[in-house]
Amino acid sequence: MRLYHFVLLAGTGIVIAAIAAFTLYGGGTGGNRLASIGGPFALVDHKGQPKTDKDFRGRYMLIYFGYTYCPDVCPTALQSITQAMDRLNVETQKRITPIFITIDPERDTARQLNAYVENFHPNLVGLTGTAEEIAKTARIYRVYFGRAKDAVEESTDYLVDHSSIVFLMNPNGKYVTHFTHTTPPRKIAEQLAKVVGS
Ligand code: NI
């Protein structure tokens, strides 16, 4: 093989790899990029039981990241999820697990989550974990969070800024679509009925 053939072949390989990466990571469309949202996690539920993403296989998941001390956005989102679920028939509800993953594991212990999830849909599962595992899980869902700038170091009274997105994942743990805390429950319910069926 002459050198320039090799260079040509290598060049073609690089172009193919680049196209593959572009397609895989969704350089072209938002849809492809969103398709890579989600993945494995290992956390602890509001009953103190270890839970991984695999424990939720076979059911749709409505995943929301937030924290129990959140004054407004998180309760709004979880209320919307609850109201949307309540609009569905019981069989459809059984096929969906709403999941609240804390981004404030320091204060949101299993016990704290256990009291909090009581306020919302009975299927709601609260998840907490180590700071590292929570950060990793947020990362694979492309969720941003950070303690608010005016937070006083060492204080236990602080706000946490965070993305507010409700992810609908299918029974294989793959991304389907998403909502926000401002999506009307009626709209969420319509979408769920369409995707999950009855
Ligand atoms: Ni919040």
Side-chain angles (χ1 to χ4, degrees):
M1 190 192 295
R2 271 186 287 178
L3 182 62
Y4 83 91
H5 277 149
F6 176 77
V7 170
L8 201 65
L9 273 176
T12 308
I14 288 166
V15 169
I16 289 169
I19 290 169
F22 187 81
T23 309
L24 192 63
Y25 294 105
T29 70
N32 281 341
R33 190 159 53 239
L34 288 167
S36 67
I37 278 182
F41 58 75
L43 299 165
V44 175
D45 74 7
H46 62 271
K47 301 284 185 198
Q49 298 300 313
K51 282 278 183 300
T52 74
D53 57 299
K54 291 195 173 60
D55 292 318
F56 298 98
R57 289 291 184 276
R59 284 177 171 208
Y60 285 82
M61 301 184 286
L62 272 177
I63 299 187
Y64 186 78
F65 289 80
Y67 67 115
T68 69
Y69 288 83
C70 182
D72 40 31
V73 175
C74 292
T76 304
L78 294 171
Q79 200 56 54
S80 293
I81 289 172
T82 302
Q83 288 172 5
M85 290 285 285
D86 286 343
R87 283 171 169 265
L88 302 170
N89 66 50
V90 178
E91 286 311 306
T92 306
Q93 288 187 41
K94 280 183 188 164
R95 302 184 61 201
I96 306 169
T97 307
I99 300 172
F100 177 66
I101 304 179
T102 183
I103 41 80
D104 184 18
E106 199 175 304
R107 289 182 297 183
D108 287 343
T109 57
R111 178 190 286 248
Q112 171 73 13
L113 287 174
N114 191 37
Y116 191 68
V117 296
E118 285 283 298
N119 299 305
F120 305 101
H121 193 274
N123 289 10
L124 182 65
V125 174
L127 295 178
T128 186
T130 63
E132 292 74 21
E133 194 59 38
I134 290 292
K136 194 193 121 201
T137 308
R139 207 177 310 122
I140 61 175
Y141 278 86
R142 316 252 174 104
V143 164
Y144 155 85
F145 70 94
R147 215 176 266 205
K149 281 195 186 71
D150 56 356
V152 180
E153 206 60 38
E154 305 299 322
S155 169
T156 54
D157 180 20
Y158 53 84
L159 294 174
V160 186
D161 295 328
H162 64 93
S163 320
S164 179
I165 297 179
V166 181
F167 298 98
L168 175 62
M169 312 297 286
N170 76 13
N172 297 317
K174 301 289 182 206
Y175 171 89
V176 178
T177 187
H178 67 272
F179 313 99
T180 76
H181 65 279
T182 63
T183 311
R186 180 181 50 79
K187 288 233 165 196
I188 298 175
E190 280 171 10
Q191 191 75 16
L192 291 176
K194 204 163 75 182
V195 174
V196 181
S198 52

